[in-house]
Structures are given as structure tokens and as C-alpha cells.
Amino acid sequence: VETAYTKFFSKSGGFPRFKTKKSKQSFEIPANLEVDFDSGCIQIPKFKEPIRTVFHRKFEGEIRTCHIKRSNAGRYFVTILVEDGRELPSKPEITKETSIGIDIGIKSFAVTSEGEEISNPRHFVTCQRRLASIQRSFSRKIKSKRKGDPLSKNAEKQKLKLQLLHEHVANQRKDFIHKVTTRLIRENQTICIEDLNVKEMMKNRNLSKHIGDAGWGMFFQFLRYKSDWYGTNILTIGRFEPSSKACSKCGYIKH
């Protein structure tokens, strides 16, 4: 509670609210967790029986914490933090020959300094008509509902459809960015990116939908943590420093 109010008063978060039964649910478990890959189960404290689990991968090391969450669509996920004792690889020397620059955009998701153009899949825009159809159907079903009354069964079904489709779009975006960032990190020793203020750019009403659909913030976040894993350098260029910035009056280019 103290952390939530501290973030609220420092304007880095919203006002704390109690979780409802049907909102996102999550809790953390300390290291006393048992994982059995052979039987595909995990045993957490205070649970009488093991929980069947589909593991994304096997791991070795000391289990530190376990984070269990429930999405809005009713799916449960478990994230286990493990200390494997491995040291991060050392990063190579930065040279011009082994460096690459990446410029992100909306029409094309990214363009590299070597001329490669990565197309923007536009996952949200592709599913927008389907989302609008489900949203209209859901709105009709709750139109006559009075404040405080529970949702009808049909409204609950339509709400679940809407949540599942939103989750599907988010998973598509995350999968695409994972594949792009992993390939860029593995193929290059130094990557130069622009220091964009994505949060402020999202306030633009004409571009916010397309910027959020592209997932620029997630792209930069994935690049930074994967660079530590694979030993790749990440250089951040100031948003006003690129040579393409020319004076609007005299045309002078700051090189």
C-alpha cells in the first residue's frame, strides 16, 4: 500500500484501487517452491495438490521467487526467477564497421542503416473491425444494466470474447518484437537507437493508436535487456542529434 501511494504522489502511477474478482490477479511466492519437470507440475505452499503446468522451458539453478498471475481472459501464468550462476558475456569494442543504426517508424516498423526495411504488421489495425463488432455487441448487452447489477451470462460471454481477442493481439505484437529484437541482437555487435520520448508521443491523438500498435517502448526494452544477455552494445542517440535535423529557417544541418 505504501509503495502504491508513493508512486501516486510522485505522479508515476494512478490512485491505488482494490482488485476486483474479475480483474488481473497476481501474487508472489518465496523460494519454497517445488518444480517437477517429469510430471509437469509445480507445488506451491498451502496448496494440497500439485498444479499441472505447461512449461515453456527447463531450467537449472536456485529458485528465488515465483510470480503467479491471472489475465483478464482467465488464463493463469507462472514466472519463476532462477539464479543460474552464469556471468554476463563481455561486450566487444565499439567500431564503425560493426555498428548498425535503427530508425523506427509507423509506415515501416524499422529501417536499418544497411538499407533493410522491416515491415509493420499492424496487428491491432488488422483486428480492429472484429474488435469493434464484439464491442458493439457487448455494449448492447449492458445497455439496460443498472449500476451495481451483475452482468448477464450473455454479457459475460461477450466480454470474455473481447478480452481474448485483445490478449491475442497483444501476444501477436509481443511475439513479433521478440523475433525481431533477437535477430538484430545476434547479427550485430553494436546497435544505435534514437532516444524517443514514447510516452509523450502517445499523447498525439492522430498517432497514438499506431504508435501503441507498433510497440516502440517494448521494442527498446527488449533490445536493452537482450543486449546484456548476448554481449551486444546499445548506443542511445539524442532525439535532436541526428544529422537529418535541419534548421527550418536557414537550412543548416548539425552534423
Side-chain angles (χ1 to χ4, degrees):
V1 175
E2 182 183 0
T3 304
Y5 274 103
T6 302
K7 289 182 178 180
F8 169 69
F9 287 116
S10 63
K11 297 183 178 180
S12 60
F15 188 80
R17 296 183 301 173
F18 284 102
K19 293 180 182 179
T20 63
K21 180 180 180 181
K22 297 177 182 178
S23 66
K24 289 183 179 179
Q25 301 287 337
S26 63
F27 64 96
E28 285 192 0
I29 300 172
N32 51 344
L33 172 80
E34 297 181 5
V35 179
D36 189 353
F37 292 111
D38 296 330
S39 61
C41 296
I42 61 171
Q43 180 70 53
I44 62 177
K46 298 185 179 180
F47 274 68
K48 297 180 180 179
E49 297 180 357
I51 303 172
R52 290 195 302 170
T53 310
V54 178
F55 290 99
H56 176 253
R57 67 180 69 177
K58 293 184 178 181
F59 55 82
E60 295 180 358
E62 181 184 356
I63 298 177
R64 292 297 179 87
T65 58
C66 171
H67 187 84
I68 296 178
K69 68 176 182 179
R70 175 189 178 275
S71 66
N72 285 332
R75 294 174 175 172
Y76 290 86
F77 299 90
V78 55
T79 305
I80 302 174
L81 179 65
V82 180
E83 179 60 54
D84 56 5
R86 301 177 186 175
E87 295 183 359
L88 294 175
S90 58
K91 297 186 177 183
E93 183 182 355
I94 299 176
T95 61
K96 185 177 181 181
E97 292 73 18
T98 59
S99 302
I100 187 175
I102 300 177
D103 183 27
I104 60 174
I106 295 175
K107 185 177 180 181
S108 298
F109 178 77
V111 179
T112 67
S113 56
E114 295 180 345
E116 180 188 0
E117 183 176 348
I118 303 173
S119 60
N120 187 0
R122 300 176 184 267
H123 297 112
F124 178 79
V125 176
T126 305
C127 295
Q128 196 169 6
R129 293 183 64 183
R130 176 64 178 158
L131 282 167
S133 175
I134 298 176
Q135 181 66 57
R136 284 195 299 269
S137 178
F138 176 66
S139 299
R140 287 195 297 267
K141 288 176 173 55
I142 63 173
K143 191 174 182 179
S144 60
K145 188 181 81 67
R146 292 181 298 180
K147 187 176 181 180
D149 292 345
L151 294 176
S152 63
K153 289 185 178 181
N154 288 333
E156 287 284 358
K157 292 178 182 178
Q158 203 66 23
K159 182 180 178 181
L160 181 60
K161 286 183 181 180
L162 188 64
Q163 291 169 335
L164 286 172
L165 189 54
H166 273 292
E167 190 174 284
H168 175 67
V169 173
N171 290 339
Q172 282 183 313
R173 183 184 302 113
K174 194 173 182 180
D175 178 71
F176 169 75
I177 295 177
H178 264 304
K179 291 175 180 177
V180 171
T181 52
T182 301
R183 182 176 64 84
L184 291 172
I185 288 291
R186 287 177 174 175
E187 294 178 354
N188 303 282
Q189 294 184 6
T190 303
I191 297 178
C192 304
I193 57 177
E194 193 175 356
D195 180 26
L196 294 177
N197 191 349
V198 180
K199 186 176 181 180
E200 290 297 322
M201 294 175 71
M202 286 290 291
K203 295 180 181 180
N204 188 328
R205 294 184 178 180
N206 298 322
L207 298 176
S208 59
K209 179 176 70 174
H210 301 285
I211 294 174
D213 190 16
W216 290 355
M218 188 185 299
F219 176 74
F220 292 140
Q221 179 187 359
F222 287 5
L223 272 182
R224 288 190 175 94
Y225 85 76
K226 289 181 182 181
S227 66
D228 294 332
W229 286 4
Y230 292 95
T232 304
N233 297 298
I234 295 290
L235 298 181
T236 304
I237 311 299
R239 66 196 71 160
F240 301 112
E241 293 180 12
S243 59
S244 61
K245 300 292 183 181
C247 179
S248 59
K249 292 184 178 180
C250 65
Y252 173 76
I253 298 177
K254 182 181 178 182
H255 294 285

